[in-house]
Amino acid sequence: MKVLTEENLPLKEETVCTIGNFDGFHKGHRFILDRVIESSKRQGKSSLVITFEPHPKTVLSSGEKPCRITGLETKIDLLEDEGIDYLYIINFSREFARKDPEEFIKFLTEKLRCRTLIVGHDWKFGHQGKGDVQTAKQIGRKYGLKVEVIPPVKEEDKRISSTQIRNLLKKGKVEEVARYLGRDYCIKGKVEQGNRIGSQIGFPTINIKPPEDLCLKKGVYSGLVKLNGQLLPAVINYGNRPTVDGRETVLEAHIIGKKLSFKPEEVKIFFKKFIRDEKRFSDIDQLKNQIKADIQKAMKSLEVLK
């Protein structure tokens, strides 16, 4: 998959495209992406996803802003796994938000060469969200754009939504989240140098910087770490490490039963089950004993122990 910049525009080839935040990257999103790929292959065109960074509501909302389900790096990785050809990231700003619906459709067709646009039934676009799927169809006829509308995707008779997934993540319900995503909840990131306290107490960790304002409940989880194509069992901590310093929010994973002989550049962390809340311990020995107990619980939940 190629991430496009302004220098790549206008595209040479025609595309089948979709547009959205894709924050949850849930089953509903993946259904749309499957249709984009299927339609692009059938038409002999390239598949294109257009997304925003940052989330439009963080720019436009004067009230509470939505927490993040998926950071940009993870989103790019998931789109690549789906088999999308191109990704175009719009730097969302108040200026961009002032584009009227026709201006936006013109941009899609002339710069991104989109000939078929596939979106959800409730898609809105243009200044103050004045454009909807009917507007897009009407303007699209003028610019040679066909618009295909996808109905809501449901799980157990409930419409799947990013709002629903945010609420579950805030409660640490990653097992339930996996049902709506159609995959394990995961975060990908570049490995950072930690303060090596884990190594000093016998539990070395791989540390990545979590996306800002992540929806995930702070605490300890069982899960898997993907390294060089291999999935390794792990106990994961997301939080502020109150026993150690309590200042910085970190995401760290201790690989169970394996000592790494190298420092990976990036990893993907999969969350399987919430184990316990974040807690401050009176001393390091108490923390070490708790980590041992966390590892045992993680191993049982991952069925490492038979």
Side-chain angles (χ1 to χ4, degrees):
M1 182 180 76
K2 181 173 182 176
V3 180
L4 300 170
T5 65
E6 291 293 328
E7 294 174 358
N8 304 122
L9 305 184
L11 281 176
K12 291 186 175 68
E13 67 262 51
E14 295 183 337
T15 64
V16 174
C17 70
T18 186
I19 182 165
N21 295 307
F22 298 101
D23 188 25
F25 215 92
H26 52 62
K27 283 181 178 178
H29 294 147
R30 294 172 76 186
F31 186 85
I32 290 174
L33 294 171
D34 287 346
R35 290 286 298 137
V36 168
I37 292 167
E38 176 195 332
S39 181
S40 66
K41 286 180 178 176
R42 189 176 67 249
Q43 297 181 49
K45 295 177 171 58
S46 297
S47 56
L48 166 68
V49 169
I50 303 135
T51 193
F52 306 106
E53 185 66 25
H55 193 295
K57 285 183 180 176
T58 65
V59 175
L60 301 176
S61 176
S62 57
E64 187 179 354
K65 294 171 173 51
C67 57
R68 295 197 74 148
I69 301 171
T70 308
L72 182 60
E73 193 166 352
T74 308
K75 191 189 297 186
I76 290 171
D77 184 70
L78 292 168
L79 284 167
E80 195 156 20
D81 285 348
E82 289 292 316
I84 294 294
D85 295 315
Y86 292 116
L87 171 64
Y88 183 70
I89 303 166
I90 292 171
N91 181 17
F92 195 86
S93 62
R94 288 187 177 275
E95 182 184 358
F96 179 84
R98 285 193 285 270
K99 283 184 183 289
D100 65 46
E102 182 162 354
E103 190 180 0
F104 186 67
I105 294 296
K106 188 178 179 183
F107 171 76
L108 289 184
T109 55
E110 292 185 359
K111 295 289 188 181
L112 296 173
R113 306 287 311 281
C114 187
R115 296 297 174 259
T116 301
L117 171 65
I118 301 176
V119 289
H121 71 289
D122 56 355
W123 181 60
K124 295 279 194 295
F125 70 104
H127 185 50
Q128 296 179 340
K130 288 177 181 175
D132 59 15
V133 291
Q134 293 307 319
T135 313
K137 285 180 178 180
Q138 183 182 349
I139 300 171
R141 283 192 284 271
K142 179 178 175 181
Y143 291 96
L145 177 70
K146 179 187 173 187
V147 180
E148 182 180 334
V149 182
I150 303 296
V153 175
K154 296 184 178 182
E155 177 76 17
E156 297 177 350
D157 235 19
K158 292 181 185 175
R159 179 176 170 264
I160 300 172
S161 72
S162 295
T163 300
Q164 175 189 43
I165 291 164
R166 285 189 186 97
N167 292 334
L168 290 171
L169 284 175
K170 287 175 184 177
K171 298 172 185 174
K173 295 185 176 181
V174 290
E175 292 169 285
E176 202 170 333
V177 164
R179 290 212 317 269
Y180 294 110
L181 298 182
R183 58 179 175 84
D184 289 326
Y185 178 66
C186 66
I187 296 172
K188 184 180 181 180
K190 290 182 174 58
V191 174
E192 294 191 335
Q193 180 67 53
N195 55 19
R196 300 190 59 79
I197 290 174
S199 296
Q200 290 166 22
I201 64 174
F203 302 101
T205 59
I206 292 173
N207 297 43
I208 66 173
K209 186 175 178 60
E212 288 185 19
D213 197 24
L214 197 62
C215 296
L216 187 65
K217 181 179 180 176
K218 289 177 179 175
V220 178
Y221 296 80
S222 65
L224 301 167
V225 173
K226 189 173 185 179
L227 275 176
N228 297 335
Q230 190 178 8
L231 289 170
L232 303 171
V235 60
I236 304 156
N237 179 58
Y238 170 63
N240 300 95
R241 299 184 297 186
T243 308
V244 179
D245 52 40
R247 292 190 301 271
E248 188 181 4
T249 302
V250 299
L251 176 56
E252 52 188 359
H254 169 69
I255 309 258
I256 299 170
K258 186 178 180 68
K259 189 174 181 180
L260 295 182
S261 57
F262 65 99
K263 180 187 172 184
E265 288 186 10
E266 60 181 19
V267 294
K268 199 169 181 180
I269 297 176
F270 298 85
F271 295 79
K272 286 288 191 177
K273 188 173 184 177
F274 182 79
I275 294 176
R276 65 169 174 87
D277 288 315
E278 198 171 33
K279 183 180 175 182
R280 182 182 177 87
F281 297 95
S282 57
D283 56 46
I284 293 295
D285 284 337
Q286 202 178 50
L287 173 62
K288 285 167 68 175
N289 289 334
Q290 182 61 60
I291 293 172
K292 288 175 185 175
D294 294 339
I295 289 171
Q296 290 302 309
K297 286 182 179 178
M299 289 169 75
K300 285 179 182 176
S301 79
L302 297 166
E303 297 182 343
V304 174
L305 287 181
K306 298 294 184 184

